[in-house]
Amino acid sequence: MGAFLEIQDVFKSYFLHGKRIDVLRGVNVAIEKGELVSLVGASGSGKSTFLHVVGTLDAPAAGVMRFEGKSVFDMNDGEIAEFRNRTIGFVFQSHYLLPEFTAAENVAMPAMIRRQDNGAALTRARELLDRVGLRDRADHRPGELSGGESQRVALARALMLQPALLLADEPTGNLDPSTGEGIHQLLREVNRELGITAVIVTHNETLAQSMPRRLRLKAGEVVAAG
Ligand SMILES: Nc1ncnc2c1ncn2[C@@H]1O[C@H](COP(=O)(O)OP(=O)(O)OP(=O)(O)O)[C@@H](O)[C@H]1O
Ligand SMILES: [Mg+2]
């Protein structure tokens, strides 16, 4: 039995205006169940690209990813979508909240899409908003929230279905240092209390350093960060 998440020789390039940009150039990394990992790297180094591939939102050009021993990119599209819904919580670099719904409705959305009981979903959504410090903003729409508040709503939404794997792309990018530390504290708590394995992309070296395991994207590869 291999690791919880095993990534082997993953390559990913973009093609634009006749040019090829090689972003991931042979990524190898294994993550064990329950790990809390930070990922740093220069702007443009490929952190978001890596997270999108791991989150199965984008397919690699080559390489293998195994989740609990099962090769993810060998599954068909339907199976990959089901795997993603069941297993992964994603906090995007842009938060992608639905503008016409309130914060609580946005957080509850993954459960509603799965046709779970709406009332129960909204109750849980309010609990999660409470945890990210937004008890008083549950009935605001995204246009009535600050950038940092929107990011916290997106984190609450990613936690809604208790994913086995949480992938967060700069969840504290728009936050002041103290609110940012609060979110990292929350990530440590959900990691410890709910056993959620998490990979957190951040530009904040201090917060990255505070994570139990630190990785860096450099020259298209994932290496241990000092
Ligand atoms: N759809 C795309 N088409 C072409 N090039 C792209 C595309 N998406 C990203 N890139 C390029 O790929 C490289 C990696 O982008 P990526 O978004 O993964 O970087 P990042 O490490 O997340 O950066 P940041 O810290 O600024 O968010 C960048 O040079 C970017 O310009
Ligand atoms: Mg990015």
Side-chain angles (χ1 to χ4, degrees):
M1 186 63 191
F4 176 69
L5 183 68
E6 239 180 324
I7 292 155
Q8 281 174 351
D9 297 322
V10 162
F11 286 77
K12 174 82 192 172
S13 304
Y14 293 108
F15 297 87
L16 197 66
H17 309 312
K19 272 201 192 155
R20 188 172 116 191
I21 307 165
D22 296 318
V23 180
L24 304 180
R25 290 174 255 167
V27 170
N28 283 283
V29 64
I31 293 170
E32 301 297 337
K33 189 166 176 56
E35 278 200 289
L36 177 58
V37 182
S38 64
L39 177 65
V40 297
S43 176
S45 60
K47 303 178 299 296
S48 295
T49 303
F50 173 72
L51 231 53
H52 283 91
V53 169
V54 175
T56 73
L57 299 165
D58 219 347
V64 175
M65 179 165 90
R66 284 193 205 87
F67 181 84
E68 295 183 325
K70 192 164 163 51
S71 176
V72 174
F73 292 112
D74 284 337
M75 299 191 237
N76 67 36
D77 288 353
E79 288 167 338
I80 289 180
E82 167 63 19
F83 163 79
R84 186 189 312 125
N85 289 339
R86 194 165 22 85
T87 315
I88 294 172
F90 215 113
V91 183
F92 294 94
Q93 195 163 4
S94 325
H95 41 74
Y96 296 121
L97 298 177
L98 300 170
E100 66 275 35
F101 293 96
T102 65
E105 288 164 344
N106 267 283
V107 173
M109 199 57 71
M112 292 186 179
I113 288 170
R114 301 204 115 203
R115 298 181 193 284
Q116 294 178 6
D117 179 79
N118 279 4
L122 284 166
T123 302
R124 166 131 181 87
R126 284 175 187 279
E127 284 165 18
L128 284 165
L129 284 170
D130 199 10
R131 287 208 75 166
V132 297
L134 291 178
R135 177 203 287 267
D136 299 333
R137 295 290 183 270
D139 299 313
H140 285 229
R141 293 199 166 76
E144 299 151 359
L145 295 168
S146 74
E149 287 170 346
S150 300
Q151 195 65 319
R152 284 185 273 164
V153 174
L155 173 59
R157 178 181 57 186
L159 294 172
M160 185 70 199
L161 296 177
Q162 297 217 8
L165 179 63
L166 178 72
L167 302 172
D169 201 348
E170 294 206 50
T172 56
N174 294 319
L175 303 179
D176 63 273
S178 124
T179 314
E181 173 50 42
I183 288 294
H184 280 243
Q185 186 62 41
L186 173 69
L187 289 167
R188 280 189 282 269
E189 275 170 39
V190 300
N191 167 255
R192 199 173 53 233
E193 291 166 19
L194 307 176
I196 294 177
T197 308
V199 181
I200 316 295
V201 169
T202 179
H203 274 291
N204 186 322
E205 289 281 348
T206 314
L207 293 178
Q209 289 289 341
S210 74
M211 296 289 163
R213 184 175 176 201
R214 298 166 299 280
L215 298 175
R216 179 181 301 279
L217 235 165
K218 201 174 173 186
E221 293 180 33
V222 168
V223 297

